[in-house]
């Protein structure tokens, strides 16, 4: 029996060693300016990321497409190094700061370092150091593309007024602003324990009693809520459209209450999974088919005309970038001597 166990352990160890050695085999060699292998292990890692995102296993042909992208990136990086196109740490830090700013806008406050790193991990599966390395590669490739294809990229044209109007006419049935309200809110948070919830309910009930249905008393309570010692939070809640997506965020009870009120009216007490709320409707808008000069989304100053113009420009920009990328890849791959693929290892 003991001998059988030893044999089994030895067999497993040998299998693990063989698998590890197979992972170190090259699936491709990139050799524009130097010989650089892409290993089976590296291809596996990229494939697994995509499979995790899509929820399905990639076919051999799809693996080849992933490998093609990896080869193109390595070719561009070697070419950038050859032509002395570099990216500084300051440029990468600027990109990271933009990501932090976007997260801050979503949270309504600056994220902590731990929150930022956790968000990166959740979205990309990478730690901060790995994310920065990937970002440096991507920014280097983009910078090299901009350098080599500057004339083509500078040819991107802004859409004409006729193009904007034509897009509007074809899509105006979809350009509808739903019933929307803007609200001011008082929020009394509570924790996960019964004592915290009871304390929050006591304060919420007191606020309801003090405010009643009086808009002016609600506003006074909002002002008091600006104090750190108030025990509750208060302020502008922003715009709430009457859509399924918005309801999935605020909950059906909140949605029903918000759209049962008229402008200036104060709500009853509303409870969600994090605390108690009282709201007052400050603005109310009925559903509207948007004209070109209407505001596209309440809360900003962008008109429908500007929104369409930006959208069409981005489409033109993407088309030019795709063309520039294809031209650059074709140039780097010209002659077929800048890389070599080992087809048998793609099946791993």
């Amino acid at each position: 029996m003991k001998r059988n166990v030893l044999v089994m352990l030895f067999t497993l160890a040998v299998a693990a060693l063989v698998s590890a050695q197979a992972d170190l085999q090259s699936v491709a060699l990139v050799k524009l300016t130097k010989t650089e292998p892409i290993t089976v292990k590296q291809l596996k890692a990229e494939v697994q990321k995509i499979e995790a995102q899509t929820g399905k296993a990639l076919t051999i042909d799809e693996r080849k497409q992933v490998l093609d992208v990896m080869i193109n990136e390595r070719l561009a990086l070697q070419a950038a190094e050859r032509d002395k196109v570099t990216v500084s740490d300051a440029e990468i830090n600027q990109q990271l700061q933009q990501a932090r700013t976007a997260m801050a806008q979503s949270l309504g406050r600056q994220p902590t370092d731990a929150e930022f790193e956790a968000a990166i991990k959740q979205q990309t599966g990478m730690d901060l150091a790995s994310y920065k390395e990937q970002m440096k590669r991507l920014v280097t490739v983009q910078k090299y593309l901009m350098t080599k294809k500057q004339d083509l990229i500078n040819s991107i044209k802004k859409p004409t007024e006729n193009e904007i109007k034509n897009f509007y006419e074809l899509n105006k049935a979809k350009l509808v602003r739903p019933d929307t309200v803007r609200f001011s809110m008082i929020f009394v948070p509570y924790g996960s324990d019964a004592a915290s919830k009871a304390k929050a309910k006591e304060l919420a009930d007191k606020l309801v009693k003090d405010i009643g249905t009086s808009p002016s008393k609600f506003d006074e309570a909002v002002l008091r809520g600006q104090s750190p010692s108030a025990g509750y939070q208060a302020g502008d809640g922003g715009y709430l459209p009457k859509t399924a997506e918005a309801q999935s965020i605020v909950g059906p009870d909140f949605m029903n209450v918000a759209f049962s009120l008229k402008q200036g009216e104060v709500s009853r007490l509303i409870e969600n999974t994090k605390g108690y709320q009282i709201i007052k409707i400050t603005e109310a808008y009925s559903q509207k088919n948007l004209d070109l000069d209407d505001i596209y989304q309440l809360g900003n100053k962008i008109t429908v005309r500007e929104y369409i113009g930006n959208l069409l420009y981005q489409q033109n920009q993407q088309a030019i970038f795709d063309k520039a990328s294809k031209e650059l890849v074709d140039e780097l791959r010209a002659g077929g001597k800048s890389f070599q693929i080992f087809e048998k290892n793609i099946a791993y």
Side-chain angles (χ1 to χ4, degrees):
M1 181 70 175
K2 186 175 180 181
R3 178 181 174 83
N4 290 339
V5 171
L6 289 173
V7 170
M8 182 178 70
L9 290 175
F10 179 74
T11 303
L12 290 173
V14 170
L17 181 61
V18 170
S19 177
Q21 289 175 335
D23 278 355
L24 294 177
Q25 288 185 318
S26 295
V27 74
L29 291 177
V30 178
K31 43 190 180 178
L32 182 70
T33 62
K34 58 185 177 183
T35 300
E36 183 179 1
I38 297 175
T39 65
V40 171
K41 183 178 180 179
Q42 290 169 327
L43 176 60
K44 273 185 181 180
E46 291 302 313
V47 167
Q48 286 167 359
K49 284 181 192 175
I50 296 171
E51 288 178 339
Q53 292 169 354
T54 60
K56 71 178 187 70
L58 298 191
T59 64
I60 296 297
D61 285 340
E62 288 169 335
R63 288 184 194 176
K64 289 179 181 178
Q65 292 172 15
V66 174
L67 181 60
D68 269 343
V69 173
M70 296 175 73
I71 290 170
N72 293 343
E73 181 186 75
R74 301 289 179 94
L75 286 170
L77 289 171
Q78 286 191 15
E81 184 179 26
R82 177 194 64 196
D83 297 343
K84 296 181 172 53
V85 176
T86 60
V87 173
S88 67
D89 289 341
E91 289 174 284
I92 299 304
N93 289 334
Q94 184 179 17
Q95 294 283 330
L96 285 173
Q97 187 54 49
Q98 289 175 0
R100 288 189 77 116
T101 300
M103 187 175 175
Q105 291 172 345
S106 176
L107 288 175
R109 60 175 173 80
Q110 282 296 327
T112 64
D113 290 345
E115 287 174 330
F116 183 61
E117 291 183 30
I120 288 173
K121 184 73 174 177
Q122 182 181 19
Q123 293 170 14
T124 67
M126 292 182 281
D127 58 28
L128 184 58
S130 300
Y131 180 67
K132 288 176 75 171
E133 288 177 11
Q134 183 192 57
M135 182 178 287
K136 188 165 188 175
R137 293 196 302 271
L138 293 175
V139 174
T140 301
V141 170
Q142 184 181 46
K143 193 172 183 179
Y144 184 69
L145 176 67
M146 298 285 286
T147 301
K148 292 298 176 181
K149 298 295 174 180
Q150 189 172 22
D151 289 344
L152 183 57
I153 290 168
N154 287 342
S155 72
I156 300 170
K157 295 180 180 178
K158 292 183 178 180
T160 65
E161 180 66 13
N162 282 340
E163 288 172 333
I164 291 172
K165 287 181 177 178
N166 184 58
F167 182 94
Y168 172 76
E169 290 298 327
L170 293 174
N171 293 275
K172 64 180 177 181
K174 303 174 187 175
L175 293 167
V176 179
R177 183 186 65 214
D179 291 337
T180 303
V181 294
R182 186 176 186 177
F183 61 95
S184 183
M185 181 170 69
I186 293 170
F187 177 59
V188 186
Y190 56 67
S192 57
D193 59 290
S196 171
K197 187 172 182 179
K199 185 178 179 181
K201 183 65 163 61
E202 183 180 352
L203 176 55
D205 286 340
K206 184 179 184 304
L207 286 166
V208 168
K209 184 178 179 182
D210 290 345
I211 295 168
T213 59
S214 170
S216 61
K217 289 184 178 179
F218 178 93
D219 293 342
E220 291 170 6
V222 168
L223 288 175
R224 293 196 300 273
Q226 310 305 311
S227 169
S229 61
Y232 61 92
Q233 302 157 16
D236 180 30
Y239 292 92
L240 177 68
K242 196 174 186 180
T243 63
E245 292 78 13
Q247 181 168 290
S248 69
I249 296 171
V250 301
D253 189 33
F254 189 100
M255 183 71 77
N256 290 337
V257 171
F259 284 94
S260 70
L261 300 171
K262 295 178 182 177
Q263 185 170 330
E265 288 185 336
V266 177
S267 76
R268 62 169 171 80
L269 190 65
I270 309 167
E271 183 181 0
N272 64 18
T273 56
K274 296 181 180 179
Y276 298 99
Q277 302 157 308
I278 311 168
I279 64 172
K280 185 186 84 169
I281 302 303
T282 56
E283 298 174 24
Y285 301 88
S286 298
Q287 179 171 302
K288 175 180 170 58
N289 289 77
L290 297 174
D291 295 324
L292 275 168
D293 293 319
D294 285 330
I295 296 297
Y296 175 70
Q297 189 173 44
L298 294 171
N300 63 46
K301 297 181 180 180
I302 298 176
T303 64
V304 173
R305 186 190 307 278
E306 291 168 329
Y307 167 75
I308 293 173
N310 290 338
L311 179 64
L312 293 178
Y313 180 78
Q314 288 171 9
Q315 290 175 353
N316 293 343
Q317 186 181 54
Q318 188 60 55
I320 292 296
F321 268 98
D322 289 346
K323 182 179 180 182
S325 297
K326 185 178 184 309
E327 284 187 8
L328 184 64
V329 166
D330 289 345
E331 290 165 10
L332 294 174
R333 284 177 169 245
K337 296 181 180 180
S338 58
F339 66 96
Q340 182 180 1
I341 294 175
F342 303 103
E343 295 274 351
K344 63 184 179 62
N345 292 337
I346 296 176
Y348 47 79

